[in-house]
Amino acid sequence: MDVNAAVAAVAAIAGVCTGVIAMLAFRWSERDQARPTRSSLHTDAVLPPGVDTVLSVLRSSAVVLDESDSVVKASSAAYALGLVRGGKLAVEPMLHMARDTRRDGEIRQVELDLPRRGTGRGEALAVSARVAPLGSRLVLLLVEDLTEARRIEAVRRDFVANVSHELKTPVGALSLLSEAVMDASDDPEAVTRFAGRMQIEATRLTNLVQELIDLSRVQNDDPLDDAEPVRVDELVAEAIDRSRHTATTKQITMAAGGTGGLYVWGHRGQLAAALGNLVENAVNYSPAHTRVGIAARRVAAPGGDLIEIAVTDQGIGIPDKDKERIFERFYRVDPARSRATGGTGLGLAIVKHVAASHGGEVTVWSTEGQGSTFTLRLPEAGAVRDRSPGRPEHDHPHDHPENEPLPAPEVLP
């Protein structure tokens, strides 16, 4: 009996000790979990409340530095720009700004040109850096990429300068010719000659203003707002008719051929202007007694069939060094010849914008002395194809191989 009581007492004491030990272990575990770790002290604990959330939604690249210049927080954009490498701020001027701001608490801002990473070229990345204190120990660096804004500003300045120059030429000529007419008032033959020159300059000025309006319209308007199925045959006929007088004067034969009954989807006026510019250029830059051909066909493409409209001439051709720049506004391969033909330097820029806004492209093949081929590629109006009379029910794009020879062109006088 005494033995059993002793055993029970020992068991009770052991149970109490086990419970006490378990409770102490549980309390110790909770205290250990609540204790801040080294990593949490380095990130969340040192940032003021809400700063992490604000930095995550900023468009600018953000970097937070501590008192030892280590990166506490950096946005993904900061890594993409190459500002942070190996946990350190990699741009020395920005690092000096951060140290100065940490010392005196003043906000600093500067614009810098940084080398691009991985390009191997001398292109610079234009950025604006702003440094401000964040609390008592941290410094916040905000960096904004200004490269695209600077490029657009440079394009705008060049455009204004080019427009001013192009407008100055015919306006100055009209002023001089009007003075010549006044001085030659008693010479009817001279008046007639000067008046003819004035008409030429006035026409050039009118064309320039109209093409400026057209370029502004195709850049600002969405052609798909007023899109409709446009018959390619009608676009080709309209483009030929636009240059018929000049072609007849130079005895240039214009021939239309290719696949008939094709449709593209887009703004009819813009598409007509783009193709008209290509045909007009082909006629203007071709010598007399040559041939200009316009051919259309359907080609298969991964995202849907495309319609190719190729304009081929037997003109002077384009040097290799100029092929990449001919679609720039006001760029001319031969400025003297362009002005002699009445060109403004905006025609191909309009073609490029129209093609891009319609989801297509324009390309060029050319050899000096042999001629050029400009190819306008546009998405086909698929819904119209499906409704076309006589189209087989299970017709497939590959039933029309792109390498098939085109039908004999129809020669238009």
Side-chain angles (χ1 to χ4, degrees), residues 252-264:
I252 293 176
T253 301
M254 291 191 293
T259 305
L262 301 178
Y263 285 82
V264 293

Side-chain angles (χ1 to χ4, degrees), residues 78-348:
Y79 286 98
L81 288 178
L83 304 179
V84 178
R85 300 176 192 171
K88 295 289 185 179
L89 186 61
V91 183
E92 198 67 25
M94 295 181 186
L95 189 57
H96 290 314
M97 288 175 57
R99 290 170 180 168
D100 293 340
T101 296
R102 186 185 300 112
R103 184 181 64 253
D104 56 24
E106 292 186 4
I107 298 175
R108 289 174 168 80
Q109 184 169 351
V110 68
E111 292 188 1
L112 300 171
D113 291 333
L114 307 178
R116 289 183 182 268
R117 296 180 61 187
T119 61
R121 294 176 293 180
E123 299 178 353
L125 188 70
V127 298
S128 174
R130 186 178 179 87
V131 182
L134 186 64
S136 59
R137 296 162 42 195
L138 303 180
V139 173
L140 173 62
L141 171 67
L142 296 177
V143 179
E144 185 178 357
D145 187 356
L146 303 178
T147 308
E148 184 64 15
R150 283 193 178 181
R151 187 192 67 81
I152 294 174
E153 178 63 20
V155 170
R156 186 192 66 80
R157 287 197 306 267
D158 291 343
F159 181 73
V160 172
N162 286 327
V163 168
S164 301
H165 175 73
E166 294 296 332
L167 289 174
K168 183 179 179 180
T169 301
V171 170
L174 286 172
S175 177
L176 292 175
L177 288 170
S178 63
E179 293 179 4
V181 169
M182 293 178 62
D183 293 339
S185 57
D186 56 347
D187 186 352
E189 183 179 348
V191 169
T192 301
R193 184 172 67 255
F194 290 142
R197 289 293 305 167
M198 292 178 67
Q199 287 183 340
I200 294 175
E201 296 298 334
T203 300
R204 177 178 297 173
L205 183 60
T206 301
N207 292 339
L208 176 59
V209 172
Q210 184 59 50
E211 291 203 346
L212 286 172
I213 294 173
D214 293 340
L215 180 60
S216 176
R217 183 178 294 118
V218 300
Q219 286 180 320
N220 297 327
D221 294 347
D222 185 357
L224 300 184
D225 288 343
D226 301 317
E228 60 178 333
V230 181
R231 189 178 178 91
V232 176
D233 294 341
E234 295 177 358
L235 293 177
V236 173
E238 186 174 336
I240 290 176
D241 189 63
R242 171 175 164 178
S243 300
R244 189 184 303 276
H245 175 72
T246 306
T248 302
T249 302
K250 299 175 66 175
Q251 298 183 15
I252 293 176
T253 301
M254 291 191 293
T259 305
L262 301 178
Y263 285 82
V264 293
W265 184 263
H267 189 284
R268 178 182 175 81
Q270 292 188 11
L271 294 173
L275 185 58
N277 285 344
L278 292 180
V279 174
E280 187 175 32
N281 278 354
V283 172
N284 286 338
Y285 289 94
S286 294
H289 308 288
T290 56
R291 180 186 181 93
V292 171
I294 307 98
R297 64 175 179 176
R298 180 189 298 117
V299 296
D305 287 2
L306 297 176
I307 301 301
E308 280 190 353
I309 309 174
V311 180
T312 303
D313 62 60
Q314 298 173 325
I316 59 176
I318 303 170
D320 291 338
K321 63 181 180 65
D322 295 311
K323 289 179 183 177
E324 294 183 358
R325 300 194 60 190
I326 57 174
F327 295 101
E328 296 178 13
R329 290 171 291 190
F330 295 111
Y331 185 81
R332 295 182 174 95
V333 176
D334 185 351
R337 183 179 178 88
S338 296
R339 289 193 173 90
T341 59
T344 63
L346 291 174
L348 291 180

Side-chain angles (χ1 to χ4, degrees), residues 345-398:
L346 291 174
L348 291 180
I350 293 175
V351 175
K352 179 181 177 180
H353 281 288
V354 170
S357 63
H358 283 75
E361 64 174 351
V362 58
T363 58
V364 59
W365 171 93
S366 183
T367 300
E368 286 188 86
Q370 297 184 19
S372 306
T373 297
F374 285 84
T375 303
L376 187 62
R377 295 187 181 90
L378 299 166
E380 183 179 18
V384 177
R385 284 186 55 201
D386 296 339
R387 294 196 301 266
S388 298
R391 181 177 174 83
E393 183 178 357
H394 301 292
D395 195 7
H396 189 273
H398 293 291

